[in-house]
Amino acid sequence: MSLKHAILGLLDLRPMTGYDLKKTFDNSARHFWAADRSQIYRTLGMLHGDGLVTEKVIAQQSRPDRHEYRLTKAGAAELDSWLRSPVPVELPREAFLARIFFAGRADDRELVRTLVAERRTLAQERLDELQAVEAPKTTYADRLRAMTLRNGIMHLEVELSWLAELDRELVAAL
């Protein structure tokens, strides 16, 4: 998936500013796709240049103008085309697992304990965040989005279980 398609998909829900898009990513899609502000604004510029979104400037008093983006017919067609295209194989890149894989070379058991404890804290914080999200399930589209949230929750639950196993079998036993 590209950020381009994620933004098109979110704009298909409703017109948004770059700020709105960042908030929406963080509150609804971050468990499978994260984006920072600069990436969002850069991509919006490209999408606008390609005619996939329109930009409406809304003047505001005592605040900077709002730049609201809306999906065009060409943008909707691009989103539809992407949805119907074959799903590519996406190979994972996981810095934490790479560190665990190579941590034996340091022969530093405290390093492994620290890595596991830090990861457990991050995973638990993220799980708590996702579990606090209330996902409506009234429409078919809502239920699909809720199931992606459930996927994120399940991944974190499995990771926490694996971290406990790692701690029991390798870290605590050392």
Side-chain angles (χ1 to χ4, degrees):
M1 180 168 129
S2 69
L3 180 56
K4 165 185 169 178
H5 294 106
I7 289 174
L8 291 174
L10 291 176
L11 290 176
D12 187 48
L13 299 175
R14 65 180 164 71
M16 291 187 226
T17 65
Y19 177 80
D20 295 334
L21 283 164
K22 175 62 176 148
K23 280 184 12 185
T24 303
F25 269 109
D26 289 348
N27 294 328
S28 68
R30 196 172 103 191
H31 58 281
F32 63 88
W33 198 268
D36 64 40
R37 271 186 332 147
S38 63
Q39 292 172 312
I40 291 170
Y41 284 103
R42 192 171 43 250
T43 304
L44 280 169
M46 183 215 45
L47 292 170
H48 185 259
D50 291 345
L52 301 177
V53 300
T54 59
E55 178 181 13
K56 179 180 179 183
V57 179
I58 303 167
Q60 300 187 110
Q61 292 183 348
S62 72
R63 290 183 146 182
D65 293 345
R66 287 176 44 96
H67 295 256
E68 187 177 81
Y69 296 88
R70 183 179 305 266
L71 201 63
T72 64
K73 287 184 181 181
E78 172 62 28
L79 181 59
D80 287 340
S81 175
W82 172 74
L83 285 171
R84 287 168 171 66
S85 67
V87 177
V89 174
E90 295 178 5
L91 300 175
R93 292 182 180 168
E94 182 58 60
F96 170 73
L97 289 178
R99 288 180 186 205
I100 294 297
F101 187 88
F102 294 115
R105 79 170 302 281
D107 198 24
D108 181 350
R109 294 177 168 132
E110 201 53 42
L111 167 66
V112 176
R113 283 188 183 96
T114 300
L115 288 170
V116 170
E118 289 173 354
R119 184 63 173 223
R120 182 182 300 113
T121 298
L122 290 171
Q124 187 61 58
E125 287 171 356
R126 188 68 184 123
L127 178 60
D128 293 345
E129 289 172 10
L130 291 183
Q131 288 175 330
V133 173
E134 292 191 28
K137 298 177 185 167
T138 52
T139 67
Y140 182 69
D142 287 342
R143 292 194 333 254
L144 289 171
R145 287 189 283 275
M147 289 307 294
T148 68
L149 176 63
R150 181 68 186 129
N151 177 275
I153 289 169
M154 291 177 73
H155 276 270
L156 287 163
E157 289 171 341
V158 168
E159 179 163 2
L160 285 166
S161 175
W162 177 81
L163 286 166
E165 181 181 339
L166 176 62
D167 195 39
R168 273 191 317 275
E169 293 194 17
L170 298 175
V171 178
L174 299 177

